[in-house]
Structures are given as C-alpha cells and as structure tokens.
C-alpha cells in the first residue's frame, strides 16, 4: 500500500497517472500561462482529501477545521510548486510533511489559539473590559468575586480567563511602544542608584536593569521602590493593569535569569 | 472557616507555574482584588524559585495556602542544602517582601520555609 492510497482513501492507477500528467504539464507551462492556474487548481482539488485527513489530527486543538484546512492547503500549494516529477515520488508523499509543516507553523505563530479555547478567549476580553469598568466605578481593582457577579459567570471561569491572559505571551512589548510618554529615562536612572543601594547583588543587577527596555525598568521601580500598586502603575504608564502584571512577571524572570547566568 | 490547600511537587522550576495557578485561585478565595492577586502570583513564583534554587537532591516542594475572609497565608518549603535563609538584602527577597504584607524565611532541620501573609487592601467591602 502506498502513502497515496493511505492518505487519500485509495487511488486507482488511472487517478495516479492523471495526477502525474497534470504535474508534468504544470511544471512545463510558463508561469504566465493562464492554463497553469487551472492545472494547479485541479491538483489542489485532487489532494484536498489529504489536507483534510492531516488537518483532522489537530481537530482537538481548539482551532476550527476550516482554518486548519486553509493553512494546510497553503502547504499543499507549496508542495505542488516545488514538486520535482523526475524524482519519481508520489505527490502525497512529498506534500505530507509540507502540509503538516504549515499547520504546525500556524500553531507556533498563534500559540494563543492552541492553548486557549475560543470560549475562554471571549471571556478573557470580557474580563479585561469589565475589570476596567469596575476599576473606574470602584476606584480600585475589583475582586474575582465582583468580576464573576458582574459577568454572571463562575469565579472559576474568571480565574481561567485571568490565567489565559497570563498565558497570552505573544502580546509584544513593541505593540504599544509608541505610546511611551514617560517622563524620561534620566529621572528613572537617578532613582535607581539610590533604590538599589541596599541590595547585595547590585553590581550584577545594575547592568541587567540598565539593559531593560525603559518602560519595564520604570514599572519595576514604581512597583518595588515606590510601592505603587499595579493599578496605579497602569494609570501612570497608560497601559492596563494586566499588562503591568505581565511585564512585571517577565521583567523579574529576565533579571532572575540574568543573575543566575554567571 | 478552615480552607487549607496544599500542593506538593518535585523541586523543578517547570512546576512553579502550578504553584502560581493555585496561588491565584486561593487569592480569589481570600477575596483579594486583582492587583493583589497578581502580586501573590509573583510572590509565590519568587518564593518557589528561591526554595528550588537551593533544594536538596530529589526534594519535594510544598506550598500550603490558608485564608480567612480577607487574609491569605502562604508557606512554601522544601528540604534545602542551604545553611542560611535568603538574605534580606538579596534582590529576590526585596522583590518578594514588596509584594506581600509580611514575609519571613528560616531553615529548621534542613527545611527552608518561606512564609507570607497578604491582607486584602479592601476596607469594608
């Protein structure tokens, strides 16, 4: 049994011959020839069952089949374009790793979608919005209980959503770099020397802290040396409290890694 | 109300995430606002990392959480190879103590314990 028969539910000799002829034709046609696209379309149609078959392996990932088939098809097209008829391989054998590669890349690029089911993604944005709402109403950060009551969900759901926000690491620091209207690096640096005077590892720490992006450094100082709450920092820096929390966690991890590196 | 939760895991930093998750859930039970909940998460992360750093070979870390209506108590401990608790002037300790109301560390019979207490900063909810 060949790979082609496995993956596509058994092709007849004729079907395989037909595919070979199409592939042959496809690679002989000039890139500008409109017939080339027609042939490619037919090759795609012929192999869509393979894409579906491979995409189904990831059906529990939380990503829709439609999206998986779509990225898988990108892999199929790449395989068709790069296929070398003279090597005597079946297209399905050649295309399988390419299709899987595209699907996996899709997950890598969007880890968020893999780890966090859609329902939780929605709840996560509701929690974020409601946190801001309640913070404005209460003039302090809300509790999980208050969020759950307002959203009419369980406290466990709110916790899951909070956890999901923490896991969402693709939120890049560059994303809101442009809103950086902080009072300037020099003032912060001045504080730093004083602030760290008492710390044993200050010689190790100083270069690590200096290497931090300005905003991360500022948040670190505000939290640990001016004892501001995450909400206060959020307001001062102009980002969400959750973002402050994530940046703090990441900054501490960076410093810790730097200090134990020696 | 007694509502004690204890989590035990191998002294490996990859398990710290587990402790963070439980910490957040327990902070919610103590009705801490999100600010403090996230601080507790970071503090437990620091404490667990600290005890793991000097944990004895094959040691197990225990994180115990207890709370009443508005106060959360956390103890993180593991058998250690260290002879001194973390220095109060170390960076890790500076961070940890800034995140909670009070923190203390000691080593008794070869076990390092870090104890933390966080009171809800909500007055009269």
């Amino acid at each position: 049994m060949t790979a082609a028969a496995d993956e596509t539910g058994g092709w007849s000799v004729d079907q395989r011959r037909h595919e070979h002829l199409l592939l042959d034709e496809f690679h002989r046609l000039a890139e500008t020839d409109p017939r080339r696209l027609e042939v490619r379309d037919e090759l795609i149609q012929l192999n869509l069952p393979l894409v579906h078959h491979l995409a189904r392996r990831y059906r529990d990932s939380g990503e829709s089949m439609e999206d998986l088939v779509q990225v898988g098809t990108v892999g199929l097209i790449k395989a068709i374009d790069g296929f070398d008829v003279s090597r005597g391989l079946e297209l399905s054998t050649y295309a399988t790793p390419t299709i899987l590669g595209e699907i996996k890349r899709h997950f890598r690029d969007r880890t968020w979608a893999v780890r966090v089911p859609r329902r939780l993604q929605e709840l996560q944005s509701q929690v974020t919005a409601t946190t801001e709402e309640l913070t404005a109403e209460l003039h302090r950060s809300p509790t999980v209980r208050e969020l759950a009551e307002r959203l009419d969900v369980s406290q466990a759901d709110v916790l899951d959503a909070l956890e999901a926000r923490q896991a969402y690491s693709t939120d890049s620091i560059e994303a809101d770099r442009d809103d950086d209207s902080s009072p300037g690096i020099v003032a912060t640096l001045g504080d730093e020397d004083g602030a760290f005077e008492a710390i044993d590892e200050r010689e190790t720490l100083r270069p690590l802290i200096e290497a931090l992006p300005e905003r991360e450094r500022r948040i670190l100082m505000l939290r640990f040396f001016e004892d501001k709450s995450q909400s206060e920092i959020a307001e001062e820096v102009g980002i969400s409290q959750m973002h402050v929390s994530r940046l703090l966690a990441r900054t501490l991890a960076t410093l810790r890694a730097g200090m134990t590196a020696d | 109300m007694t509502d004690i939760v204890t989590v035990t895991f191998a002294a490996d930093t990859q398990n710290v995430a587990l402790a963070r998750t439980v910490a957040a859930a327990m902070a919610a039970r103590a009705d801490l606002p999100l600010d403090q909940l996230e601080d507790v998460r970071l503090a437990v992360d620091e404490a667990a990392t600290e005890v793991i750093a000097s944990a004895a070979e094959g040691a197990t870390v225990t994180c115990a959480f207890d709370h009443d209506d508005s106060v959360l108590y956390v103890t993180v401990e593991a058998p250690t190879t260290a002879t001194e608790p973390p220095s109060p002037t170390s960076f890790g300790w500076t961070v940890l103590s800034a995140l909670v109301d009070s923190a203390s560390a000691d080593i008794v019979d070869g076990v390092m314990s870090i104890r933390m207490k966080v009171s809800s900063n909500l007055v009269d909810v």
Side-chain angles (χ1 to χ4, degrees), chain B residues 53-116:
Chain B
S54 66
E57 181 78 27
T60 298
V61 179
T62 303
C63 296
F65 301 86
D66 192 7
H67 72 89
D68 56 30
D69 285 344
S70 60
V71 187
L72 177 69
Y73 304 88
V74 187
T75 305
V76 180
E77 55 190 19
T80 185
T81 56
T83 49
E84 296 285 325
S87 155
T89 54
S90 67
F91 176 70
W93 196 261
T94 306
V95 165
L96 194 150
S97 49
L99 292 168
V100 295
D101 294 339
S102 61
S104 64
D106 59 26
I107 296 176
V108 177
D109 296 334
V111 174
M112 183 189 290
S113 305
I114 296 179
R115 291 182 194 81
M116 298 171 278

Side-chain angles (χ1 to χ4, degrees), chain B residues 12-32:
Chain B
D12 184 321
T13 47
Q14 71 177 5
N15 293 328
V16 172
L18 198 76
R20 277 201 302 265
T21 299
V22 179
M26 294 307 289
R29 285 196 198 171
D31 218 18
L32 302 185

Side-chain angles (χ1 to χ4, degrees), chain A residues 119-170:
Chain A
R119 184 188 71 83
L120 210 51
Q121 284 187 46
E122 283 163 17
L123 184 58
Q124 188 262 331
S125 41
Q126 288 172 347
V127 166
T128 302
T130 309
T131 301
E132 281 173 28
E133 206 176 286
L134 284 171
T135 303
E137 284 173 29
L138 304 166
H139 305 292
R140 59 161 173 82
S141 92
T143 65
V144 169
R145 182 173 48 80
E146 288 161 344
L147 284 166
E149 278 165 13
R150 175 67 58 97
L151 286 163
D152 198 20
V153 297
S154 71
Q155 293 193 30
D157 280 346
V158 173
L159 279 168
D160 282 351
L162 291 174
E163 188 85 3
R165 296 205 297 188
Q166 286 285 347
Y168 181 23
S169 55
T170 55

